[in-house]
Amino acid sequence: MSYSASISSRSNSFVADLRSDTVTCPDPGMRGAIESARLGDDVYGEDPTVRALEERLAGRLGFDAGLFFPTGTQSNLTALLSHCQRGDEAVASANSHIINYEGAGASVLGGIALKPVPVAPDGGPCADAIEDMVNPDDPHFPRTRLLCLENTIEGRAVPVSSQQNLIATARMNGLAVHLDGARLFNAAIALGEEAADVARGVDTVSVCFSKGLGAPAGTVLCGNRQLISSARRWRKILGGGMRQSGVLAAAGLYALEHNVDRLSEDHRRASVLREALAKLPGAEVADVPNQTNMVWLTLPERISKDLAVALADRDIAVRSGPRMRLVLHRDVDDAALEKVISAFSEILPRFAAEQKVAGAKGLSLVPE
Ligand SMILES: *Cc1c(COP(=O)(O)O)cnc(C)c1O
């Protein structure tokens, strides 16, 4: 038996871990690709596997060049630092990862103001609001320099036509455009578009390999030569210059080859789960167009916590909260999905009934 086949590809014992699509572990095929990767020192530009991944993704998306990062956060941060100077401002939709989940790194390390834009019904930022938010050239204001888009955003694919409209708005106002495409391939598959068409017209796009694509780490930022050369300098400053990082890039190359088309399976299972949960009492299931591998439930906070505990008893991991996000990925197959659905079917109606009793007794049902 080969070295790679002898190791379990799963690290945990969950029936299903629905907290995120980052929880997947490399399967034997990916481990084999890692094992046989050709390596060199990438700070010297000598890792052939890293270069191959950068070129492969940039070519596929229609950009001059790519740059490999350990994480999506560092790739987004580098993009912002490459587009903006101190005292500049980047706008991004209020629900975006850059605004909410990256520690305001661009402000902390780059002196860049981050301005949240109201969310449009299709999930992206509202184009009219962007127009209103661009500051006039006046020393009172930060210079509005960059529009950050995200696709998918909260698991929804933003249609190419809306994105083109946003890009046109940015251009009319002299803004550069960065696309956080952590799940760009999920967006492309859900919209029935080529990934290159989802990334068309932006200056930089960041694509993660560690989400649904199943690699242990790695993100590639694509852009023109000048931007990527500036990004290379920033990446080094941020401590992201890695050496034999081809061990990670090999997983990315493997993922591009083997794990892109199968994202549609995650989308299919998410819609099966969505439909099953919508039939149950006790939770409100988000039903909006262009959803991908996520299911969103709105629950009273207390129910959400109890539900998470009851699911954990059945080895199903979820993150509790008033908006519970369930994420499908390559380590949740049809058999696991069936177990998830039967667990929810058993637990949720019971909680809903208890909630009704509480309501009848005049206890608060508002989310807390
Ligand atoms: C996960 C994610 C990131 C950041 O990636 P990390 O590798 O976790 O730093 C950025 N943007 C979006 C939309 C993401 O989902």
Side-chain angles (χ1 to χ4, degrees):
M1 191 156 58
S2 83
Y3 153 75
S4 49
S6 66
I7 314 170
S8 162
S9 64
R10 297 273 299 274
S11 69
N12 61 48
S13 58
F14 292 119
V15 165
D17 187 345
L18 304 174
R19 291 171 300 168
S20 178
D21 45 8
T22 57
V23 299
T24 57
C25 290
D27 62 14
M30 185 176 276
R31 285 172 190 250
I34 291 168
E35 195 183 356
S36 59
R38 290 174 55 224
L39 304 174
D41 189 327
D42 183 56
V43 173
Y44 296 152
E46 290 172 7
D47 190 301
T49 308
V50 170
R51 294 179 81 150
L53 178 63
E54 292 169 343
E55 283 166 20
R56 185 83 53 87
L57 187 71
R60 183 156 171 176
L61 300 183
F63 289 82
D64 290 349
L67 190 65
F68 187 60
F69 288 86
T71 66
T73 299
Q74 194 178 73
S75 172
N76 280 335
L77 173 57
T78 297
L80 269 81
L81 291 167
S82 303
H83 284 294
C84 302
Q85 307 282 322
R86 299 185 71 79
D88 285 353
E89 172 182 81
V91 299
S93 66
N95 56 346
S96 66
H97 200 277
I98 287 176
I99 293 276
N100 296 293
Y101 304 113
E102 299 183 12
S107 306
V108 173
L109 300 171
I112 301 162
L114 294 170
K115 191 145 79 180
V117 184
V119 182
D122 66 13
C126 184
D128 295 342
I130 292 169
E131 189 99 50
D132 294 341
M133 279 183 171
V134 175
N135 290 330
D137 184 7
D138 176 313
H140 287 88
F141 308 122
R143 292 168 298 240
T144 314
R145 187 75 76 195
L146 178 70
L147 169 65
C148 300
L149 301 175
E150 186 175 320
N151 210 355
T152 62
I153 186 156
E154 297 188 303
R156 283 182 75 184
V158 179
V160 168
S161 57
S162 337
Q163 213 176 254
Q164 287 305 322
N165 183 35
L166 290 162
I167 294 168
T169 304
R171 298 306 180 201
M172 276 186 307
N173 291 283
L175 308 185
V177 183
H178 169 66
L179 173 59
D180 178 355
R183 297 185 181 84
L184 184 78
F185 288 105
N186 292 85
I189 283 174
L191 297 169
E193 304 273 1
E194 292 298 325
D197 290 321
V198 183
R200 193 174 304 289
V202 304
D203 297 296
T204 45
V205 57
S206 172
V207 179
C208 287
F209 291 92
S210 56
K211 302 280 167 81
L213 294 182
T219 294
V220 171
L221 180 69
C222 297
N224 68 27
R225 297 225 176 274
Q226 197 191 333
L227 273 162
I228 293 303
S229 125
S230 161
R232 189 179 295 279
R233 171 170 281 274
W234 277 117
R235 184 186 68 173
K236 191 78 184 80
I237 291 170
L238 295 172
M242 297 185 288
R243 304 297 178 170
Q244 287 71 33
S245 37
V247 288
L248 297 173
L253 280 168
Y254 182 90
L256 271 186
E257 193 85 15
H258 296 93
N259 293 348
V260 171
D261 292 341
R262 67 149 305 287
L263 292 173
S264 63
E265 288 179 39
D266 301 337
H267 299 182
R268 174 182 63 76
R269 292 192 182 104
S271 78
V272 168
L273 181 57
R274 210 174 284 124
E275 278 168 32
L277 297 185
K279 292 194 190 112
L280 301 175
E284 196 185 308
V285 183
D287 183 20
V288 289
N290 302 323
Q291 298 189 90
T292 57
N293 65 329
M294 296 179 190
V295 179
W296 293 89
L297 296 180
T298 307
L299 297 155
E301 180 93 21
R302 194 178 334 111
I303 302 271
S304 175
K305 277 189 196 139
D306 293 349
L307 177 62
V309 170
L311 289 168
D313 280 344
R314 289 165 174 76
D315 291 325
I316 296 167
V318 298
R319 276 202 315 222
S320 70
R323 280 180 83 218
M324 183 182 278
R325 183 185 80 159
L326 308 171
V327 188
L328 281 294
H329 51 75
R330 47 174 297 115
D331 287 350
V332 182
D333 60 12
D334 285 330
L337 179 64
E338 220 169 276
K339 288 182 187 156
V340 168
I341 291 173
S342 75
F344 271 94
S345 308
E346 202 184 305
I347 300 164
L348 252 187
R350 210 173 66 218
F351 284 166
E354 283 165 17
Q355 195 185 349
K356 248 193 216 139
V357 172
K361 288 182 180 160
L363 299 175
S364 168
L365 293 180
V366 293
E368 41 190 38

